[in-house]
Amino acid sequence: MSHALPLPDLDRLCVHTITTRPWPIEVASERFAKAGVKGITVWRDALTGRDLARTGQLIRDQGLSIVSLCRGGFFPARTAGERTKALDDNRLAIAEAQALGAPLIVLVCGAVPGQPLAESRKQIRDGIAALLPECRAAGVKLAIEPLHPMYADSRSAINTLGQANDLCEALASDCVGVALDVYHVWWDPALEQEIARCGRQNALFAYHVSDWRTPTLDLLNDRGLMGEGCIPLRQLRAWVEATGYRGFNEVEIFSSRCWAQDQSDYLARIIQAYRDYV
Ligand code: ZN
């Protein structure tokens, strides 16, 4: 572990709306700003029934940067008609990001149970390629998030940073990069080299932190607060920052346990855990 790594910069702390899911976005942005958080990543479910431009302005008026919109993707499907529908939803996400003022959309790329992963990967590549003109016109970029292989059945056929880097290389567009989430990739023996490669490709667009609990009781909603698990967070941030990355460190925690707690206390613990462990 590097001892030269500086403590995490509070000015680079971003929290996802899903992390404090019980709070409506208006409450979350006010509480985040008051607590000294500087960035917010907005989940689309938090926008239901809102005027997007007005919500974006309200967030910026709190002094928060809108880091990204979560999420687009889910490109693979068994029929051409369903794949077209998926593309339409992604086009809607691009329009939403533009209206909100979010410069980036995180992609959970998708997979279909029983469909060969190679076919899903081809459909993912074709889907992202089809969106590039809209991205460029809207000034919105896309970040491929590799997901832990336990989600390869139905959530993403892109499961390692190496695969995400290959996809970025194949697409060769400055509109497409990677959202690196420690929860999904911490186990990968090629992680250090692939982070460096991602940096060389200028493709490291976002960095998400949480922790891996032992035992993990739910595949989706039992992520840990930083420091509660076994992910070597300081080591990973050192590798990320060695690429020159100085973007936000985004706290993204799906946790039924944490959502059941008092969210103000929880936010205070997030900030403490950010200082102590990220
Ligand atoms: Zn993530």
Side-chain angles (χ1 to χ4, degrees):
M1 183 167 294
S2 167
H3 295 283
L5 185 70
L7 286 173
D9 185 351
L10 274 184
D11 286 347
R12 292 172 51 210
L13 170 57
C14 166
V15 179
H16 285 224
T17 57
I18 198 88
T19 300
T20 56
R21 194 171 74 170
W23 277 342
I25 192 164
E26 294 80 7
V27 176
S29 48
E30 190 201 334
R31 303 288 172 85
F32 289 1
K34 274 207 181 109
V37 175
K38 299 297 184 193
I40 185 168
T41 278
V42 177
W43 279 65
R44 292 171 78 190
D45 68 295
L47 295 170
T48 306
R50 268 77 167 179
D51 178 286
L52 299 185
R54 216 169 61 199
T55 303
Q57 194 54 51
L58 183 140
I59 293 170
R60 282 184 293 277
D61 287 347
Q62 298 281 356
L64 292 170
S65 295
I66 302 176
V67 178
S68 53
L69 182 70
C70 274
R71 60 191 187 208
F74 289 98
F75 298 103
R78 288 201 183 272
T79 68
E82 289 172 307
R83 290 194 292 277
T84 301
K85 229 171 98 181
L87 278 180
D88 288 344
D89 183 62
N90 279 281
R91 291 190 177 103
L92 180 63
I94 292 167
E96 288 173 2
Q98 189 180 24
L100 187 70
L104 184 68
I105 296 172
V106 176
L107 298 179
V108 171
C109 289
V112 180
Q115 172 166 285
L117 289 169
E119 177 59 23
S120 289
R121 289 175 190 133
K122 182 187 172 301
Q123 293 176 1
I124 290 164
R125 194 175 78 178
D126 291 348
I128 296 173
L131 297 174
L132 294 178
E134 281 97 337
C135 285
R136 197 164 294 287
V140 172
K141 296 188 177 196
L142 303 175
I144 298 161
E145 180 167 292
L147 256 56
H148 191 283
M150 69 179 170
Y151 301 120
D153 59 338
S154 59
R155 290 182 178 266
S156 186
I158 306 299
N159 306 107
T160 64
L161 180 54
Q163 288 177 314
N165 283 336
D166 288 348
L167 193 47
C168 289
E169 203 170 87
L171 289 160
S173 165
D174 59 3
C175 290
V176 183
V178 171
L180 185 68
D181 186 325
V182 301
Y183 193 76
H184 297 298
V185 300
W186 66 276
W187 55 272
D188 184 349
L191 191 57
E192 184 179 7
Q193 303 92 285
E194 291 295 338
I195 288 173
R197 177 182 164 208
C198 192
R200 286 195 302 275
Q201 291 182 179
N202 295 314
L204 190 45
F205 286 0
Y207 182 54
H208 299 174
V209 297
S210 63
D211 214 336
W212 184 282
R213 288 162 59 80
T214 305
T216 292
L217 302 177
D218 185 281
L219 294 186
L220 200 57
N221 293 326
D222 192 29
R223 292 194 189 192
L225 185 61
M226 299 80 72
E228 285 184 336
C230 59
I231 299 180
L233 287 159
R234 285 268 143 91
Q235 177 65 84
L236 267 51
R237 184 165 64 86
W239 291 342
V240 162
E241 294 192 357
T243 70
Y245 180 82
R246 292 297 181 273
F248 280 95
N249 301 307
E250 307 182 35
V251 178
E252 181 194 33
I253 302 171
F254 310 87
S255 168
S256 309
R257 190 174 43 90
C258 296
W259 291 328
Q261 295 166 8
D262 177 276
Q263 296 298 286
S264 296
D265 294 347
Y266 178 42
L267 181 60
R269 292 202 295 121
I270 288 170
I271 291 169
Q272 192 59 47
Y274 178 78
R275 291 179 195 270
D276 291 345
Y277 297 104
V278 173

